[in-house]
Amino acid sequence: MKPVLLLSNGHGEDLSGALVASHLIQRGIAVEALPLVGHGASYRQLGIPVLGRTRNCSTGGLGYTSLAGRIAELLEGQMLYVLSRLLLLRRRRRHYGLVLAVGDLLAVLGGWFSGLPTAVYLVAYSSHYEGRLRLPWPCGWLLGRPGIRAIWSRDELSAADLSGQLGRPASFLGNPFLDAVSSNEAPPAGAGDPELLLVPGSRLPEAARNLGLMLELLAELPGKLPVEWPGGRRLRLRAALVPGLERACIAQLAAPLGWQLEGEDRLVRGPLELELSWGGFGQLLPSAQLVLCSAGTAAEQAVGLAIPVLQLPGQGPQFTPGFAEAQRRLLGAGVFCAPEPSSAAELAHQLLEQQLDPIRGPALRRQLATIGQERIGRPGGSQAMAGAIMNLLAASAR
């Protein structure tokens, strides 16, 4: 049986593709990957072959970015790079039996352009944004082509909407990216120290700027939010950072804000201590009571685990106020936003206090779990998609 090719256009999309690929490998199916953005780190970590020479773009690739980000994409030749990747796919199409396209219009276009049977996981679009899905041209036309054998949406509402618009079935099988964090066990509610997790994003240098904004917010905490909580518990501050965000850079941006780097993995400012972790987001997230976030997929994973998200929009090019507003429409009432560090500190206090309350805490967690179920779904999406791909391969072989 020919290998399956994973075609994805984004960091979160690479993660989902890699998780599906891991289940295909367990079933004896060979897989290869063609990331259209970045180096495909999620694939490489699993030992999945990545085609061709890859490169990074400062904006993280074509998509929902600021005007300055779109200009940067043009200047950096990102469009030409993506075109070269699609041409590589076209030249190698005889090597594969099926394409799984993960992402948005670009991924769908790549699957159609390959001329191969294609399954689409349309993770970038949702009917929750505006109540009705408005696909960019020519995405709707492409999804109606015979070569597109299956369409999987990111939520139930979008599946029903797409089925009606396209006149063909679209299904919701879950979101594979949730599987990356749901396998890690969370502590019992109310146990241990309350934790605030910082997630400044995955794209550099934007992530460094976002971390600076977060350190500015944390500096407001002693006056807004107690370091010591009832029962002798102490607020624990942790940060999940991308490996490329180096200690020297962190020390440089932190010093003017009154923070000092101590040892290899701690920033200290008066009574506050921030623990730094590189590449450990999946292990840190389940134990957090609140996520201070300037990222896309990470916020979705938090909502899927019923953990409230407090946004801190930056200058972009990716996590701008416009992106943050769209994220709130997508993820619903589990996401909160405060425009200024002082008001964000007050809101963080309210959310943590509510979660630690023996009466209000369980009610909030039930509400967040309902939101997560509606917007993200249950774990198991990667296994469900792998099983559906096995059925498509079997049908093609008959």
Side-chain angles (χ1 to χ4, degrees):
M1 188 176 290
K2 292 182 177 180
V4 170
L5 180 72
L6 282 298
L7 179 68
S8 49
N9 65 304
H11 299 285
E13 288 83 351
D14 291 352
L15 173 61
S16 290
L19 290 166
V20 175
S22 68
H23 286 282
L24 290 173
I25 292 170
Q26 292 173 19
R27 289 166 166 80
I29 303 299
V31 296
E32 295 181 9
L34 185 71
L36 298 176
V37 175
H39 297 300
S42 296
Y43 296 117
R44 296 179 190 275
Q45 289 168 5
L46 293 178
I48 297 170
V50 174
L51 301 186
R53 292 186 176 181
T54 56
R55 56 169 284 190
N56 271 324
C57 176
S58 64
T59 65
L62 302 176
Y64 201 142
T65 61
S66 63
L67 176 60
R70 294 190 182 100
I71 294 173
E73 289 165 355
L74 287 171
L75 295 176
E76 294 172 13
Q78 185 69 0
M79 290 185 181
L80 291 176
Y81 169 72
V82 169
L83 179 59
S84 71
R85 302 290 283 165
L86 295 180
L87 290 173
L88 174 61
L89 168 58
R90 181 72 179 180
R91 291 196 302 269
R92 292 182 55 86
R93 64 187 184 277
R94 292 185 179 86
H95 294 271
Y96 308 106
L98 182 137
V99 171
L100 172 59
V102 183
D104 57 20
L105 171 60
L106 277 178
V108 177
L109 179 63
W112 170 78
F113 186 64
S114 72
L116 292 168
T118 298
V120 173
Y121 170 36
L122 205 62
V123 67
Y125 305 128
S126 172
S127 301
H128 283 292
Y129 282 118
E130 299 178 41
R132 184 177 188 274
L133 198 57
R134 288 175 169 79
L135 295 172
W137 184 88
C139 194
W141 181 85
L142 292 171
L143 291 173
R145 299 303 90 200
I148 305 297
R149 303 296 172 84
I151 303 169
W152 303 319
S153 71
R154 57 162 297 126
D155 51 65
E156 291 282 8
L157 180 63
S158 300
D161 190 2
L162 277 171
S163 298
Q165 289 193 41
L166 300 175
R168 61 176 300 182
S171 305
F172 173 57
L173 302 182
N175 286 296
F177 57 72
L178 185 59
D179 298 342
V181 293
S182 61
S183 60
N184 298 306
E185 186 174 349
D193 293 331
E195 293 188 17
L196 172 60
L197 178 62
L198 278 59
V199 185
S202 60
R203 300 168 175 85
L204 294 172
E206 181 179 0
R209 295 193 296 268
N210 292 341
L211 179 60
L213 290 174
M214 292 179 177
L215 294 177
E216 183 181 347
L217 181 152
L218 292 183
E220 299 277 344
L221 288 184
K224 307 287 184 181
L225 192 155
V227 176
E228 296 286 348
W229 289 79
R233 291 182 290 184
R234 183 176 178 85
L235 177 63
R236 190 176 188 184
L237 304 174
R238 309 174 84 178
L241 308 174
V242 291
L245 188 49
E246 299 177 348
R247 290 174 177 82
C249 175
I250 294 172
Q252 184 176 9
L253 67 88
L257 300 172
W259 293 85
Q260 297 297 321
L261 184 63
E262 292 190 0
E264 292 292 311
D265 58 0
R266 288 190 309 149
L267 281 174
V268 176
R269 186 183 192 275
L272 299 176
E273 180 179 309
L274 176 63
E275 303 172 34
L276 307 176
S277 177
W278 285 266
F281 173 75
Q283 289 71 45
L284 299 177
L285 178 62
S287 61
Q289 276 73 50
L290 177 64
V291 179
L292 181 59
C293 195
S294 299
T297 302
E300 297 172 36
Q301 291 169 308
V303 168
L305 294 187
I307 301 170
V309 173
L310 177 56
Q311 296 174 323
L312 193 61
Q315 300 175 354
Q318 191 71 30
F319 203 80
T320 60
F323 185 100
E325 189 274 333
Q327 186 181 79
R328 292 194 296 277
R329 285 186 280 121
L330 173 66
L331 299 178
V335 179
F336 305 84
C337 185
E340 301 294 334
S342 59
S343 59
E346 289 184 10
L347 186 51
H349 183 194
Q350 295 170 14
L351 290 168
L352 285 170
E353 190 176 49
Q354 185 176 357
Q355 286 215 78
L356 295 173
D357 186 275
I359 297 176
R360 294 185 297 158
L364 175 62
R365 285 187 286 275
R366 287 193 296 270
Q367 177 189 6
L368 294 174
T370 300
I371 294 169
Q373 174 67 30
E374 176 189 51
R375 303 301 173 106
I376 304 298
R378 298 184 185 277
S382 53
Q383 186 171 355
M385 286 187 188
I389 289 172
M390 295 297 293
N391 292 335
L392 291 174
L393 293 173
S396 297
R398 288 198 291 267

